[in-house]
């Protein structure tokens, strides 16, 4: 199997060139686009690697903490030549376009695959319980991480410490905004604008404590975040890997912008 030599992105002109291409395909590379623009090339916890073909972007990889985001604008992209490089980054999760993940999966048996959709949604309903929602502060990161880690969705491709650190750093640096509902002295519901840039924002981390699900706090906090972003004239994007959430998105006739996938390391 032929391999390719990836180069570390450390050139501002190339960064600008890549961002233009990423923004044209933003639904297929949300985190990569936003993090490249927000973090840039000088943050030690975020590294970007690239490969060119005939002077044009052929592959861009972002290593952020212990996860990897990948993107190629080429439909005839050959995933096999990047396997060794990606494996060398030792990621817990590898995320990208569905067809890219499908290409990588046969070569990376130590990972299992999941597939989902990317939706855009700016319709919201008003609820009197919006008054229960507040914006979290970095000091809430530990409690939020513990709530998220209690679910299979967020524990399968994260460690608790790393999840807490990511939440803390994003809130402290103004790159992400978390929103919570508290009751009985606990944080019982959470969702977040994980990343935003220009008029695009990504929601993730929606979770409700099992004992409070029947209060519809998940719906309330999700609708609240849609209201916030709509008033800011930003488009809210969400990744739906959960089959129930995918079915719900289609029933609500949400705008499906792309198909996505991820490989998660087996434990």
């Amino acid at each position: 199997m032929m391999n390719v030599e990836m180069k570390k992105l450390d050139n501002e002109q190339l960064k600008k060139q890549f961002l233009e291409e990423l923004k044209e395909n933003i639904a297929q590379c949300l985190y990569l686009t936003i993090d490249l623009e927000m973090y840039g090339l000088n943050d030690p916890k975020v590294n970007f690697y690239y490969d060119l073909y005939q002077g044009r972007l052929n592959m861009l990889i972002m290593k952020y903490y212990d996860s990897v985001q990948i993107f190629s604008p080429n439909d005839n992209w050959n995933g096999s030549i990047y396997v060794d490089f990606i494996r060398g980054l030792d990621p817990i999760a590898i995320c990208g376009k569905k067809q890219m993940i499908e290409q990588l999966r046969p070569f990376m048996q130590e990972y299992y695959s999941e597939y989902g959709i990317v939706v855009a949604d700016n319709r919201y309903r008003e609820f009197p319980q919006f008054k229960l929602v507040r914006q979290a502060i970095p000091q809430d990161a530990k409690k939020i991480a513990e709530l998220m880690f209690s679910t299979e969705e967020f524990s399968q491709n994260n460690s608790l410490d790393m999840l807490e650190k990511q939440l803390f750093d994003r809130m402290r640096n103004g790159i992400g905004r978390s929103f919570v509902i508290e009751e009985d002295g606990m944080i019982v519901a959470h969702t977040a604008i994980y990343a935003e840039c220009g008029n695009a924002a990504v929601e993730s981390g929606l979770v409700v404590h099992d004992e409070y699900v029947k209060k519809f706090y998940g719906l309330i906090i999700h609708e609240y975040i849609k209201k916030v972003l709509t008033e800011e004239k930003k488009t809210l994007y969400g990744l739906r890997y959960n089959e129930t959430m995918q079915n719900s998105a289609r029933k609500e006739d949400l705008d499906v912008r792309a198909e996505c996938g991820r490989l998660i390391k087996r434990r």
Side-chain angles (χ1 to χ4, degrees):
M1 184 168 62
M2 184 180 74
N3 294 318
V4 66
E5 183 178 346
M6 299 291 292
K7 303 175 185 66
K8 186 170 182 179
L9 181 57
D10 57 7
N11 181 291
E12 287 292 336
Q13 187 57 41
L14 272 179
K15 170 194 162 187
K16 183 179 179 182
Q17 175 186 324
F18 294 166
L19 272 173
E20 290 176 0
E21 189 142 23
L22 292 172
K23 287 177 179 178
E24 291 176 4
N25 301 276
I26 192 166
Q28 299 175 340
C29 49
L30 283 161
Y31 286 110
L32 222 167
T33 307
I34 293 170
D35 287 347
L36 179 56
E37 181 148 300
M38 294 295 293
Y39 286 108
L41 305 180
N42 300 311
D43 193 303
K45 62 180 170 289
V46 190
N47 291 291
F48 300 89
Y49 305 92
Y50 71 95
D51 175 47
L52 299 178
Y53 178 70
Q54 296 182 345
R56 300 281 296 175
L57 177 63
N58 189 54
M59 177 66 161
L60 187 62
I61 298 175
M62 177 180 74
K63 175 75 183 295
Y64 177 78
Y65 289 100
D66 52 5
S67 295
V68 158
Q69 300 277 339
I70 63 175
F71 173 72
S72 173
N74 300 325
D75 292 334
N76 59 351
W77 176 78
N78 179 8
S80 65
I81 65 176
Y82 299 100
V83 169
D84 286 347
F85 182 84
I86 294 172
R87 183 177 279 121
L89 298 173
D90 193 28
I92 289 178
I94 304 160
C95 306
K97 295 192 294 186
K98 179 183 178 182
Q99 57 266 46
M100 295 180 73
I101 298 302
E102 286 176 332
Q103 270 215 34
L104 287 175
R105 187 182 62 81
F107 303 103
M108 307 191 78
Q109 294 299 314
E110 69 270 38
Y111 293 80
Y112 65 91
S113 58
E114 293 184 342
Y115 299 100
I117 56 176
V118 181
V119 299
D121 182 16
N122 280 90
R123 297 172 296 178
Y124 68 89
R125 288 169 284 176
E126 288 275 359
F127 288 95
Q129 293 95 329
F130 280 175
K131 66 186 179 198
L132 300 175
V133 183
R134 71 166 174 88
Q135 186 169 340
I137 58 175
Q139 288 72 24
D140 293 317
K142 181 177 177 61
K143 289 183 179 179
I144 295 169
E146 288 172 347
L147 176 62
M148 293 174 66
F149 200 74
S150 68
T151 70
E152 182 180 357
E153 179 179 358
F154 294 107
S155 63
Q156 64 184 348
N157 60 341
N158 291 285
S159 67
L160 179 58
D161 289 345
M162 192 61 70
L163 190 56
E164 179 186 346
K165 182 168 176 53
Q166 290 182 26
L167 286 162
F168 183 90
D169 286 348
R170 284 183 175 271
M171 285 188 278
R172 181 188 60 185
N173 297 325
I175 292 169
R177 291 182 277 172
S178 281
F179 296 85
V180 296
I181 294 175
E182 290 179 288
E183 193 165 311
D184 302 322
M186 300 188 299
I187 290 177
V188 299
H190 167 267
T191 194
I193 304 168
Y194 253 38
E196 54 189 309
C197 182
N199 64 354
V202 187
E203 181 188 13
S204 187
L206 177 60
V207 60
V208 180
H209 192 289
D210 287 344
E211 295 179 12
Y212 297 84
V213 170
K214 291 182 179 179
K215 292 192 172 186
F216 301 104
Y217 282 169
L219 172 65
I220 289 160
I221 203 167
H222 173 61
E223 294 295 315
Y224 180 85
I225 212 171
K226 285 196 288 183
K227 177 181 179 179
V228 168
L229 290 170
T230 299
E231 290 175 348
E232 294 175 355
K233 302 189 185 310
K234 294 183 179 181
T235 299
L236 174 63
Y237 290 92
L239 282 68
R240 304 283 188 262
Y241 283 102
N242 179 285
E243 187 174 347
T244 300
M245 293 179 73
Q246 289 186 51
N247 292 337
S248 176
R250 291 189 170 100
K251 282 181 182 177
E252 293 175 32
D253 197 28
L254 298 186
D255 184 5
V256 179
R257 298 283 180 92
E259 293 182 305
C260 57
R262 60 188 178 190
L263 295 173
I264 299 170
K265 200 165 194 177
R266 301 180 192 276
R267 295 185 178 181

